[in-house]
């Protein structure tokens, strides 16, 4: 009788262990299915909505992907689940690359690229605002401007030179204001030297660019 009770107890314990193990596997499969569903659902969200919340979307994906990988260890024969995870991972990476392209800001226009080179990224936009140029930095602004023109003088088109001239005149206009706001005589002297360097460089190269365009037009 005692032996029967012991055997019954062992059987009950084994059944309980098996049941617990099955439950863990089922939960693991649900975790993986949840990961797969998340990837499929993200692909159905509008791009504008994704852009506004992309950091949170990507963080949630990484968390679910990590949980899915951990869940695999709870499944004895996990070949099918591994394939599910790999397929969803490939889907998401391709989708993420696509969204990265969609979310990327548009390339600046040639005119804006020229302004960025002359003054620094985003310093001068369509508003032509030079308020950021002051007595402390105006010499370095002229330096960058003139040296950039010097480095690229053989590449500029006639339209580029027209833009350069317009930007130069706008900078000069700002200098007139800055001179009344504490521009040192030393910086003023250095700027004068840069201006002497720019004037003939502009005249000669702008004429050369026009001649080249005329030749091309005649061909």
């Amino acid at each position: 009788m005692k032996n029967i009770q012991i055997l019954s107890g062992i059987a009950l314990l084994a059944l309980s262990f098996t049941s617990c193990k099955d439950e863990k596997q089922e939960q693991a499969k649900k975790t993986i299915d949840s990961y797969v569903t998340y990837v499929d659902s993200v692909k159905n969200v509008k791009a504008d909505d994704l852009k506004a919340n992309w950091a949170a979307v990507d963080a949630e994906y990484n968390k679910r992907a990590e949980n899915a990988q951990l869940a695999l260890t709870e499944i004895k024969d996990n070949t099918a689940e591994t394939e599910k995870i790999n397929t969803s991972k490939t889907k998401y990476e391709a989708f993420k690359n696509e969204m990265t392209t969609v979310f990327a800001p548009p390339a600046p226009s040639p005119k804006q690229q020229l302004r960025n080179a002359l003054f620094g990224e985003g310093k001068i936009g369509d508003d032509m605002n030079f308020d950021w140029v002051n007595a402390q930095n105006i010499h370095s602004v002229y330096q960058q401007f003139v040296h950039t023109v010097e480095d690229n003088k053989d590449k500029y088109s006639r339209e580029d030179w027209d833009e350069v001239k317009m930007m130069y005149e706008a900078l000069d206009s700002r200098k007139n204001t800055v001179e009344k706001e504490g521009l040192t005589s030393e910086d003023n002297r250095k700027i004068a030297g840069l201006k002497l360097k720019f004037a003939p460089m502009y005249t000669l190269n702008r004429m050369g660019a026009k001649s080249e365009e005329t030749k091309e037009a005649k061909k």
Side-chain angles (χ1 to χ4, degrees):
M1 183 70 178
K2 188 174 182 181
N3 288 339
I4 292 174
Q5 289 177 338
I6 291 172
L7 289 172
S8 297
I10 291 172
L12 186 63
L13 185 63
L15 182 63
S16 174
F17 180 77
T18 301
S19 176
C20 182
K21 192 173 181 181
D22 288 344
E23 193 175 307
K24 282 187 176 181
Q25 288 202 65
E26 286 303 313
Q27 186 57 48
K29 288 180 181 180
K30 286 180 181 179
T31 298
I32 292 168
D33 287 342
S34 175
Y35 163 73
V36 171
T37 301
Y38 182 78
V39 172
D40 290 339
S41 64
V42 165
K43 293 181 67 179
N44 292 324
V45 179
K46 290 181 180 178
D48 288 345
D49 294 334
L50 280 176
K51 185 177 182 180
N53 300 283
W54 183 251
V57 168
D58 197 42
E60 180 66 19
Y61 166 82
N62 289 329
K63 184 179 77 172
R64 287 175 183 261
E66 185 179 349
N67 289 340
Q69 287 293 339
L70 289 173
L72 279 178
T73 62
E74 299 291 345
I75 303 172
K76 186 176 180 180
D77 182 8
N78 60 20
T79 303
E81 282 70 25
T82 300
E83 188 175 343
K84 280 184 180 181
I85 289 175
N86 290 339
T87 299
S88 289
K89 182 179 179 181
T90 301
K91 279 184 185 178
Y92 184 80
E93 289 302 324
F95 182 70
K96 183 176 180 178
N97 290 337
E98 180 187 338
M99 288 300 102
T100 300
T101 302
V102 171
F103 298 159
S109 65
K111 181 176 75 172
Q112 187 59 52
Q113 289 180 41
L114 179 57
R115 292 181 180 186
N116 289 345
L118 293 171
F119 297 106
E121 195 73 25
K123 289 291 183 67
I124 297 295
D126 291 335
D127 59 359
M128 295 279 288
N129 189 331
F130 279 80
D131 289 350
W132 57 277
V133 179
N134 53 49
Q136 287 69 46
N137 66 16
I138 192 167
H139 172 234
S140 64
V141 173
Y142 267 98
Q143 269 188 318
Q144 177 170 336
F145 186 98
V146 174
H147 291 164
T148 299
V149 171
E150 185 177 27
D151 290 342
N152 295 278
K153 64 181 185 295
D154 296 328
K155 304 174 188 174
Y156 288 155
S157 66
R158 184 166 55 87
E159 288 76 11
D160 290 335
W161 281 112
D162 289 344
E163 178 70 15
V164 166
K165 182 67 183 303
M166 184 172 70
M167 291 297 102
Y168 180 75
E169 290 173 348
L171 179 58
D172 269 356
S173 177
R174 178 61 181 169
K175 178 179 176 291
N176 293 335
T177 300
V178 168
E179 280 183 315
K180 304 167 188 175
E181 298 175 350
L183 180 63
T184 66
S185 56
E186 176 67 12
D187 279 348
N188 211 348
R189 183 184 64 77
K190 290 177 180 177
I191 290 170
L194 290 167
K195 288 166 68 67
L196 284 173
K197 188 175 187 178
F198 173 81
M201 183 167 56
Y202 166 77
T203 302
L204 290 173
N205 286 279
R206 205 277 186 184
M207 287 174 61
K210 185 176 181 180
S211 297
E212 284 298 319
E213 289 184 11
T214 302
K215 285 181 184 178
E216 288 297 320
K218 289 179 178 179
K219 288 181 181 180

